[in-house]
Amino acid sequence: MALHPEEPSLSAIDCLLGAERSSLEDLYREFHAHPELSGQEEWTSRRLASALESAGCMVTRGIGGFGVVGLMQNGQGPVILLRADMDALPVREETGLPYTSTITMDDPQGRTVAVMHACGHDLHMTALVGAARVLGALRDKWNGTLVLIGQPSEEMVSGAARMIGDGLYSRFPRPDAALAFHVAPELPSGTI
């Protein structure tokens, strides 16, 4: 994205994030309580697509299975891709939180297993939606195209290849830069 000379201040971004905080926390809890295994992210895909549409993105669903692509186009400029994983792990949650996952699903071997967002993909998706909301509110401060990806099947190491095979870079703008992150609970808060 090309920033305008009057680039938004960190305090302006903090203010926007503060206004979204409660809603984003609710979305996080919703994602956390409804995990789905790799290749089965049907509900997750629908919910992420809906949240990106509400943030002002043009959304395409079903890319390489349950992949989601949201576009936020804002004039001429670079294309930036932001990626979030969507799948969960076959892990029983024992946190006792009010939004604890009680979901079970059949794994690829046909066994019924407990499912949990034990790897932080619930946070990945929430951060993606938060970025879309904030950048949508700051459209007067940047030019370019934002491509927001919800990638399925990261844990099975197959979702990215399926999305690319389904035309990710031919059907949508090819990025000049791509950003993704992962959470690490052992790092201090605020560390990047």
Side-chain angles (χ1 to χ4, degrees):
M1 292 180 310
L3 292 177
H4 295 182
E6 62 282 347
E7 153 181 344
S9 69
L10 288 179
S11 61
I13 294 170
D14 285 344
C15 184
L16 287 167
L17 283 171
E20 295 291 340
R21 183 179 181 138
S22 177
S23 172
L24 289 170
E25 286 174 350
D26 289 345
L27 182 63
Y28 166 80
R29 289 182 190 104
E30 191 177 349
F31 282 135
H32 186 86
H34 297 90
E36 294 174 302
L37 293 173
S38 294
Q40 300 181 51
E41 305 97 333
E42 184 176 358
W43 178 89
T44 305
S45 177
R46 281 195 321 267
R47 184 64 185 100
L48 180 59
S50 172
L52 290 173
E53 285 171 340
S54 294
C57 295
M58 294 184 328
V59 174
T60 303
R61 305 162 192 240
I63 307 301
F66 290 113
V68 175
V69 176
L71 287 179
M72 189 176 290
Q73 295 176 308
N74 195 29
Q76 295 296 311
V79 177
I80 305 298
L81 182 146
L82 302 178
R83 175 191 147 283
D85 302 318
M86 300 191 315
D87 54 343
L89 291 166
V91 173
R92 178 175 311 284
E93 182 168 1
E94 297 177 357
T95 64
L97 294 167
Y99 50 94
T100 292
S101 169
T102 59
I103 302 293
T104 60
M105 301 184 87
D106 290 342
D107 70 10
Q109 291 76 37
R111 301 173 297 207
T112 301
V113 295
V115 182
M116 175 188 178
H117 273 298
C119 200
H121 297 178
D122 44 0
L123 180 58
H124 293 194
M125 292 180 286
T126 304
L128 189 73
V129 172
R133 289 178 184 178
V134 169
L135 290 167
L138 294 172
R139 282 182 188 260
D140 63 330
K141 305 290 185 195
W142 60 273
N143 288 4
T145 299
L146 190 59
V147 180
L148 300 115
I149 304 273
Q151 180 195 312
S153 300
E154 185 269 344
E155 297 294 349
M156 299 296 287
V157 193
S158 61
R162 285 199 320 265
M163 289 185 78
I164 291 167
D166 197 14
L168 178 63
Y169 295 130
S170 60
R171 296 168 60 187
F172 304 97
R174 190 173 190 88
D176 296 304
L179 303 170
F181 73 96
H182 214 283
V183 295
E186 66 275 3
L187 295 177
S189 178
T191 302
I192 297 177

